Amino acid sequence: MTVDKEWLRVESLDLDAQGVAHNAEGKVVFIEGALPGEQVQVQVSRRKNNWEQGVLEALRRESPQRVTPGCPHFGLHAGACGGCKMQHLHAGAQIAIKQRVLEDNLWHLGKVKPERMLRPVEGPTWGYRYRARLSVRHVVKKGTVLVGFHERKSRYVADMQQCEVLPPHVSALLMPLRALVAAMEARDRLPQIEVAIGEGPLGLVTALVLRHLEPLSEGDVQKLRAFAAEHGVQWWLQPKGPDTVHLLDTDGPELAYSLPEFGVVMPFKPTDFTQVNHHINTVLVGRALRLLQVQPDERVIDWFCGLGNFTLPLATQAREVLGIEGSEALVQRSRENAQRNALAHKASFAARNLFELTPADVTAYGSAQRWLVDPPREGAFALAKALADLRQSPELVPEGWRMPQRIVYVSCNPATLARDAGLLVHQAGYRCTAAGAVNMFPHTAHVESMAVFEYDPNFVPKAAEAGEAVPAVEPPAVAGEAAPQ
């Protein structure tokens, strides 16, 4: 470690919430803990030819957006929790920076400039995390059990007594969980507890999924039951992969979340993918459907439909909705949810690998006036590429098939959204009419967003010009300067 006494002016934040500055040699310096506008000194820990990386050591000019972190486990100190990266930045400034990250990625990676920026979607900034995966570690040398997130830049589990982004009643379980595991015979074979919170008829339902690497003794099972009775939770056991998850006792209430605007209730299992932030998800679904502007006589396709988070609300507005998902198990759950909500006559589902789509695969599902696309971090490259191929090569288009008139793309990775947007705009003939950030994960560097694409009938297909080429592989996670790995 060396100490650089030069004062640096922080220019921006990168996607890992590190301050970005340039030193006197012109090198980019990534500074953990620094905020835009601040003058700082850095303790440099890594040096490369084109960049350096370090930690904030001294602060001469403080940003007006700097705030006191809400959690004592956040910070740059030894053992600090790595679950959050932005607690030192005002919540309003966090979403403004994420909006800028979205704009920068769209332009630098996709050469796309939205016609208008949507107001960011915001919600509660504390106690919002209805899903979490907590690591468990019996530390023999310290004579204790740790339950929580990993330490900053470490695989060690942080010594957490509380967590401000978890709902208060879950945060209050951290210390009792540590005591529970410490008392169990299998304490050394319990690597993880997953938390999932749903809505029940009498209030919130809290499920805890215990990953255990060996069968539990009857004594350990009784300890779990006593804990559940005392703290009002339900235990699920996971002896192997996610498909082995089962309730310890089968008489508890089911997990579900609701979308009141559409009269939809979505039952789910604790290992199913659902959004971490239920409040934001409710707002997100409503905004996506308003942007899609579905008419009662139209057909819609929901790509990467999961449990039907968008499919079932769409079915309340459209003539017909097809949800397509890669997991056969999720497709079956979607069908069950459609039945549960009396929407099976309007919502159908199909399973297929959405990362290996061809133009023929896309057209085989039939025309739809509107598409909703909600992929994982890898994005929807095959889907966007298929549309580009169909627009560039009319001979691939079967008789009667039509390009979707409007696409709403919900993204959890602005880099892959930008890549796919470049294809849709420059090769498939769409206009990006709107885009905006969604603060699904306050205090973290995670950027969720959505973009709207409108079919342009006047688009003239042509080969991508020099400098406008759209990458065919996933681009770097940060626009502009390459961040250290």
Side-chain angles (χ1 to χ4, degrees):
M1 295 272 189
T2 60
V3 177
D4 189 344
K5 295 302 180 181
E6 179 185 359
W7 287 99
L8 304 179
R9 182 179 65 83
V10 183
E11 301 152 19
S12 61
L13 282 188
D14 72 359
L15 259 183
D16 285 324
Q18 300 175 112
V20 181
H22 288 80
N23 63 18
E25 300 173 8
K27 277 188 181 181
V28 178
V29 184
F30 298 96
I31 312 159
E32 193 172 1
L35 296 176
E38 294 186 331
Q39 289 186 357
V40 302
Q41 286 181 337
V42 186
Q43 180 172 297
V44 176
S45 55
R46 296 182 69 189
R47 296 181 189 272
K48 298 291 182 180
N49 289 338
N50 298 321
W51 56 266
E52 296 180 352
Q53 184 182 37
V55 177
L56 171 68
E57 184 177 60
L59 182 60
R60 182 163 70 181
R61 177 182 297 168
E62 185 176 286
S63 167
Q65 301 295 338
R66 181 176 286 275
V67 297
T68 301
C71 177
H73 303 303
F74 175 85
L76 302 176
H77 56 278
C81 174
C84 295
K85 293 188 176 182
M86 288 186 170
Q87 283 195 26
H88 58 311
L89 178 62
H90 187 277
Q94 291 180 28
I95 188 60
I97 285 173
K98 292 179 182 184
Q99 186 92 326
R100 182 59 183 271
V101 166
L102 171 63
E103 291 183 75
D104 287 349
N105 274 255
L106 284 171
W107 179 246
H108 290 298
L109 299 178
K111 298 301 182 210
V112 171
K113 185 174 180 62
E115 294 175 13
R116 68 184 176 105
M117 293 303 297
L118 300 168
R119 180 180 177 183
V121 175
E122 301 179 73
T125 57
W126 302 106
Y128 67 84
R129 189 152 189 166
Y130 275 32
R131 296 193 65 89
R133 185 171 295 165
L134 305 175
S135 295
V136 179
R137 186 68 51 85
H138 176 217
V139 186
V140 178
K141 291 182 178 179
K142 296 183 178 180
T144 190
V145 167
L146 301 178
V147 177
F149 299 116
H150 286 155
E151 293 179 359
R152 181 179 66 90
K153 295 186 177 181
S154 169
R155 296 195 60 80
Y156 291 112
V157 180
D159 187 352
M160 298 167 54
Q161 288 80 49
Q162 65 193 78
C163 176
E164 298 304 317
V165 297
L166 292 174
H169 77 281
V170 178
S171 174
L173 290 176
L174 291 178
M175 296 304 289
L177 282 171
R178 290 169 62 161
L180 168 69
V181 174
M184 293 176 67
E185 297 173 37
R187 68 181 70 89
D188 292 313
R189 305 289 286 167
L190 307 174
Q192 176 182 298
I193 297 174
E194 195 163 350
V195 181
I197 301 173
E199 304 164 12
L202 301 178
L204 295 179
V205 179
T206 302
L208 302 177
V209 183
L210 179 65
R211 177 79 174 96
H212 56 101
L213 303 180
E214 62 185 31
L216 297 177
S217 68
E218 184 57 33
D220 281 353
V221 169
Q222 291 306 319
K223 288 181 175 69
L224 293 177
R225 288 192 172 117
F227 185 94
E230 179 180 356
H231 296 284
V233 302
Q234 58 178 226
W235 282 105
W236 294 65
L237 302 181
Q238 183 183 344
K240 293 183 180 179
D243 58 335
T244 66
V245 169
H246 61 279
L247 268 167
L248 173 62
D249 296 306
T250 58
D251 57 350
E254 72 174 359
L255 289 167
Y257 66 91
S258 62
L259 296 167
E261 183 179 349
F262 306 99
V264 169
V265 175
M266 302 286 293
F268 65 95
K269 292 183 178 179
T271 50
D272 287 340
F273 173 80
T274 57
Q275 293 290 5
V276 161
N277 191 324
H278 284 199
H279 176 86
I280 292 294
N281 183 59
T282 301
V283 179
L284 176 69
V285 172
R287 173 179 277 191
L289 267 64
R290 284 189 291 277
L291 290 169
L292 205 54
Q293 296 182 1
V294 176
Q295 301 304 306
D297 62 340
E298 291 182 330
R299 182 173 187 262
V300 182
I301 298 180
D302 179 9
W303 301 90
F304 304 92
C305 70
L307 288 170
N309 186 53
F310 292 101
T311 324
L312 299 191
L314 283 166
T316 68
Q317 298 185 347
R319 169 177 58 84
E320 175 189 346
V321 184
L322 172 62
I324 307 176
E325 168 59 45
S327 164
E328 185 67 60
L330 281 179
V331 165
Q332 182 56 37
R333 302 293 308 285
S334 298
R335 292 188 180 116
E336 293 169 2
N337 286 346
Q339 290 279 359
R340 167 74 174 268
N341 288 276
L343 292 168
H345 64 296
K346 297 176 70 175
S348 60
F349 299 89
R352 77 148 297 130
N353 184 342
L354 295 176
F355 298 105
E356 296 181 357
L357 288 170
T358 66
D361 295 328
V362 171
T363 58
Y365 287 112
S367 296
Q369 290 87 347
R370 318 277 169 172
W371 280 9
L372 192 291
V373 184
D374 183 19
R377 288 189 60 81
E378 295 88 342
F381 177 76
L383 193 61
K385 181 67 165 58
L387 281 182
D389 290 344
L390 288 163
R391 194 67 186 272
Q392 298 276 333
S393 305
E395 69 275 8
L396 298 176
V397 180
E399 184 177 354
W401 190 86
R402 298 288 182 269
M403 301 277 281
Q405 298 301 297
R406 179 170 294 186
I407 300 170
V408 170
Y409 187 133
V410 179
S411 167
C412 57
N413 183 348
T416 53
L417 169 61
R419 175 201 63 197
D420 298 344
L423 276 170
L424 292 173
V425 170
H426 301 303
Q427 296 184 36
Y430 285 83
R431 295 162 36 231
C432 182
T433 57
V438 179
N439 203 15
M440 184 71 74
F441 295 82
H443 309 299
T444 77
H446 182 92
V447 180
E448 192 102 2
S449 58
M450 65 169 58
V452 184
F453 299 92
E454 194 82 23
Y455 180 76
D456 181 3
N458 299 316
F459 174 77
V460 178
K462 60 181 179 179
E465 298 175 0
E468 296 288 332
V470 179
V473 295
E474 184 167 335
V478 181
E481 307 287 356
Q485 299 297 312

